[in-house]
Amino acid sequence: MDDLPDLFTVIKGEVASITEYGAFVKIPGCRKQGLVHRSHMSSCRVDKPSEIVDVGEKVWVKVIGKEVKDEKVKLSLSMKVVNQGTGKDLDPNNVVLEQDERKRKEFRDDSKQKITLEAVLNTVCKKCGCKGHFANDCFSQPGGMKYSLVPDEEEEKEEEEEEQQKTSNLERKPAKKHKS
């Protein structure tokens, strides 16, 4: 473990092999290889890692995980948080990695209890007596001012133009003569 790179360091490695789930990258100065999972190859969806990298290609990677099981070390690497042209770390505070980790965690409800939701449309406000909202959402006070929505200026202009067109169309039409 001494020759392994530190967590969250950016290094340039060489692609050793490609699988359907990712690519293994040789780390310089270390006998171990790390896995770049296909979800960490690009910010876009990757179906075939072979379309992104080739064996022998040099790529910039960031060490995002170290795991030791049965004296075997597994390194997780990411290409999507490193600029492949310059090697600059695009996620220096590891915000993207934390967001990805939160997305992967599943919500588990072990209580097996039913969740009942109240229908807001069927509720009646205790303050104003109107349907469709709760008392804590009510903005009207008993005996207070009631406000209505103010139309946008564009809507007012459109309505005025429509009225002017209607009146001008009525003025243009000559009276029809009825045949007797």
Side-chain angles (χ1 to χ4, degrees):
M1 287 258 312
D2 295 335
D3 59 344
L4 292 176
D6 293 330
L7 202 59
F8 305 121
T9 57
V10 176
I11 51 177
K12 190 168 190 174
E14 183 180 337
V15 178
S17 63
I18 301 171
T19 63
E20 61 186 39
Y21 52 86
F24 287 95
V25 176
K26 293 178 191 174
I27 299 168
C30 179
R31 294 181 294 126
K32 295 286 181 186
Q33 295 178 357
L35 173 67
V36 179
H37 192 266
R38 68 182 186 188
S39 63
H40 285 283
M41 286 188 156
S42 173
S43 56
C44 301
R45 181 181 170 90
V46 175
D47 290 325
K48 294 182 180 180
S50 59
E51 293 176 349
I52 304 294
V53 293
D54 293 323
V55 175
E57 184 179 351
K58 300 276 187 181
V59 292
W60 288 100
V61 292
K62 183 176 185 177
V63 180
I64 59 171
K66 288 183 184 181
E67 187 178 335
V68 180
K69 276 191 178 178
D70 302 327
E71 297 181 17
K72 290 185 180 181
V73 179
K74 293 183 179 182
L75 289 175
S76 298
L77 307 174
S78 177
M79 289 173 50
K80 74 177 180 180
V81 294
V82 181
N83 183 328
Q84 292 301 309
T86 61
K88 181 182 177 192
D89 190 357
L90 300 175
D91 187 25
N93 297 326
N94 304 316
V95 175
V96 174
L97 297 174
E98 288 176 16
Q99 288 174 344
D100 288 347
E101 189 66 32
R102 274 192 234 125
K103 287 179 188 176
R104 274 193 224 103
K105 288 184 180 177
E106 294 180 23
F107 173 75
R108 293 184 184 181
D109 183 21
D110 297 328
S111 64
K112 304 288 185 209
Q113 294 178 352
K114 287 185 179 180
I115 299 173
T116 56
L117 301 174
E118 291 184 34
V120 176
L121 296 175
N122 294 333
T123 60
V124 177
C125 178
K126 293 178 183 175
K127 284 185 181 177
C128 68
C130 295
K131 283 189 168 188
H133 63 273
F134 296 108
N136 59 351
D137 297 332
C138 185
F139 291 107
S140 66
Q141 297 293 326
M145 298 275 299
K146 303 253 179 183
Y147 298 99
S148 62
L149 295 176
V150 177
D152 291 338
E153 292 178 14
E154 294 174 1
E155 291 177 2
E156 289 177 356
K157 289 178 184 177
E158 290 175 2
E159 289 175 3
E160 289 175 7
E161 290 174 2
E162 288 176 7
E163 288 178 22
Q164 288 176 357
Q165 287 178 353
K166 286 179 185 176
T167 55
S168 63
N169 286 343
L170 291 174
E171 293 172 1
R172 289 184 197 158
K173 290 183 182 179
K176 291 184 179 180
K177 296 181 182 178
H178 293 289
K179 293 182 181 178
S180 56

